[in-house]
Amino acid sequence: MRPFHCSAALLSRSDGSVRFKSGSSAVLCSVFGPIEVKIRDEKLDKATVEVVFKCASGQSTTTERLYERIVRETLEASILTALHPRTLIRITLQVLTDDGGILSTALNAAILALVDAGIPLRSLPAAVTCMMDREGVLFLDPTTVEVEGSQSSHVFVFDDAGEGTLANVSTGAFTMDEYTNCYDQCLSAAATLQSLFRSSIEGKVVREYGPI
Amino acid sequence: MASPSFGDGGSLSAQEVLISRLLDKALRQSRAVDTEGLCIVAGEKVWQLRVDVRVLDHEGNIVDCACIAAVAALLHFRRPDVTVLGDDVTVHTVEERNPIPLSVHHIPICVTFAFFDDGAKQVVDPTLLEEQVQEADMTFVINKHGDVCTLSKAGGVAVTVDQVIHCANIAAAKAEDITALVKEALTKHAPPKTDIV
């Protein structure tokens, strides 16, 4: 996996903000919530989750709409929306640089930004991308150049609460064995990510409030 | 992303529309970029230039900030080199030939003032709190030579002519400083000249 880096609390107006960098892919996420919701989007028993995904340059296409939907549905399952009924949680993702694996980078940025904003989550999810190339070699967290030679690519989101996946987007041609292999590799990679997230969040809390 | 009051970009609010229009006047209508230089084959092929501005954080005076960002991006930008032989047009890749910068006539800078005390006092580059209690605002789009491209004062409390001239002088000085800062930053981050192998 490529080395990743995250910096939190960058934006002064946002409730939570994180810049997540995985190799050369970087995404800035800003979270506002719980804030006022438009009457037509209001849900009586839960918070409404809204995701806006902006690519680095150019107009938004259907790909950005697809990513918005994936991020929204994944995070809606993680956020304890019942604790904030009739409110809005707005997650804005801005791609700074795209060097492959942008969906998982964006998901990780969103997760950490939600923690930075203090939005209650069911568990701490983590997203990983992997791909299989034409020779059957598995690449974890591939770059744009590596993705060009891919036969299939898989994005998994795992949480540390239960078994099973929170989200899975697999495209391309792959066998059942290849899929199981990708699943296992991504599961262990996600566990590493989660422990690194935790230590970085703990570090931030200790810096702000003193030792736990 | 900039502030909780800005929506997701579905329909622009009145403030957002005003900012967009001001930026359009500053960048496009001021004819800062030489558009004739973007022509490849007259009447047939031309380069299209697109500037995307994303506001990350709103701590006041988005217009000035966005203008500096857009201007710096235009000066930093390099377009692919093109060879035209009769009807044959070849667009060279970045690896084949060094990309070339845009030809820029002048560098327009936005300088915004906020007025208080029934128009008696003014502040340059208002912060968020100053913007929210201002009685009027005025934006100059001016370059370092002192040429005013746009003067926008849309409503608000009345301001005397002497004040407008006074603000124009301040704006000209600020434009010089900001242009120097932008140029310095660009030289520091200039893309290295790669030699053709």
Side-chain angles (χ1 to χ4, degrees):
Chain A
M1 276 197 68
R2 292 179 280 179
F4 72 86
H5 178 77
C6 63
S7 21
L10 306 165
L11 305 175
S12 64
R13 299 294 300 278
S14 305
D15 292 327
S17 55
V18 157
R19 181 173 154 263
F20 190 83
K21 214 170 162 216
S22 175
S24 298
S25 288
V27 174
L28 175 66
C29 180
S30 131
V31 168
F32 281 103
I35 57 172
E36 198 182 331
V37 66
K38 287 210 231 354
I39 301 285
R40 64 155 196 258
D41 298 328
E42 190 182 50
K43 287 189 193 153
L44 296 177
D45 55 346
K46 320 181 175 174
T48 310
V49 177
E50 183 188 281
V51 176
V52 179
F53 192 104
K54 298 269 187 217
C55 50
S57 60
Q59 273 179 319
S60 283
T61 63
T62 48
T63 312
E64 281 70 49
R65 299 287 149 262
L66 176 66
Y67 288 168
E68 280 173 11
R69 181 150 181 234
I70 294 167
V71 172
R72 192 187 72 241
E73 296 195 347
T74 310
L75 296 177
E76 255 174 355
S78 243
I79 299 171
L80 294 168
T81 49
L83 289 180
H84 298 287
R86 301 169 64 224
T87 63
L88 174 70
I89 296 169
R90 176 180 295 139
I91 301 164
T92 310
L93 292 155
Q94 172 66 59
V95 176
L96 302 170
T97 49
D98 187 351
D99 190 27
I102 207 67
L103 180 56
S104 56
T105 310
L107 277 159
N108 289 328
I111 291 156
L112 291 168
L114 286 167
V115 174
D116 190 48
I119 308 275
L121 299 174
R122 192 163 278 116
S123 61
L124 191 66
V128 189
T129 310
C130 85
M131 63 164 249
M132 301 286 303
D133 76 352
R134 298 193 182 100
E135 276 88 55
V137 179
L138 191 147
F139 286 82
L140 210 49
D141 198 13
T143 62
T144 312
V145 173
E146 288 166 353
V147 165
E148 273 167 29
S150 72
Q151 177 90 317
S152 69
S153 107
H154 310 262
V155 178
F156 286 96
V157 181
F158 295 107
D159 72 355
D160 54 0
E163 293 172 17
T165 49
L166 213 51
N168 173 216
V169 184
S170 294
T171 51
F174 49 93
T175 65
M176 198 60 216
D177 286 333
E178 285 176 341
Y179 181 78
T180 320
N181 190 18
C182 289
Y183 181 99
D184 295 330
Q185 294 288 335
C186 287
L187 188 57
S188 48
T192 322
L193 267 180
Q194 275 152 1
S195 59
L196 289 168
F197 286 176
R198 263 186 204 285
S199 55
S200 109
I201 294 163
E202 267 177 29
K204 180 176 159 255
V205 169
V206 162
R207 268 196 305 275
E208 279 181 35
Y209 300 103
I212 300 168
Chain B
M1 190 186 276
S3 97
S5 55
F6 290 150
D8 60 353
S11 60
L12 297 175
S13 71
Q15 192 201 9
E16 287 168 26
V17 170
L18 284 173
I19 293 170
S20 296
R21 288 189 57 186
L22 205 48
L23 283 173
D24 185 65
K25 281 187 197 151
L27 300 169
R28 199 172 57 84
Q29 292 184 32
S30 68
R31 310 215 195 135
V33 176
D34 175 24
T35 46
E36 276 187 34
L38 295 175
C39 176
I40 303 170
V41 176
E44 282 177 35
K45 291 184 174 60
V46 73
W47 286 112
Q48 186 192 51
L49 206 53
R50 190 198 156 93
V51 178
D52 284 313
V53 178
R54 301 259 197 268
V55 183
L56 301 177
D57 212 2
H58 180 17
E59 277 287 348
N61 203 8
I62 298 178
V63 174
D64 288 13
C65 188
C67 184
I68 295 171
V71 148
L74 286 166
L75 290 170
H76 186 252
F77 177 70
R78 301 282 182 269
R79 66 166 174 83
D81 197 1
V82 176
T83 322
V84 182
L85 288 167
D87 279 335
D88 194 33
V89 175
T90 325
V91 178
H92 299 282
T93 63
V94 173
E95 288 84 31
E96 278 174 36
R97 293 248 193 113
N98 276 332
I100 49 187
L102 295 173
S103 145
V104 160
H105 291 308
H106 66 102
I107 301 172
I109 302 285
C110 284
V111 181
T112 304
F113 294 84
F115 295 95
F116 305 94
D117 234 9
D118 218 20
K121 298 192 174 69
Q122 77 260 4
V123 159
V124 169
D125 188 19
T127 64
L128 181 65
L129 292 176
E130 286 161 357
E131 244 182 33
Q132 287 177 321
V133 297
Q134 71 190 6
E135 289 167 6
D137 72 289
M138 183 164 70
T139 303
F140 281 88
V141 179
I142 192 167
N143 64 25
K144 69 169 188 188
H145 305 294
D147 305 322
V148 176
C149 311
T150 308
L151 163 54
S152 168
K153 184 187 181 305
V157 88
V159 156
T160 65
V161 173
D162 289 330
Q163 271 187 296
V164 174
I165 307 288
H166 180 55
C167 289
N169 290 325
I170 299 172
K174 288 285 172 208
E176 247 190 275
D177 293 336
I178 295 171
T179 313
L181 273 171
V182 168
K183 288 210 166 133
E184 192 193 311
L186 286 166
T187 12
K188 243 197 282 183
H189 297 277
K193 281 198 161 61
T194 44
D195 295 316
I196 307 162
V197 177

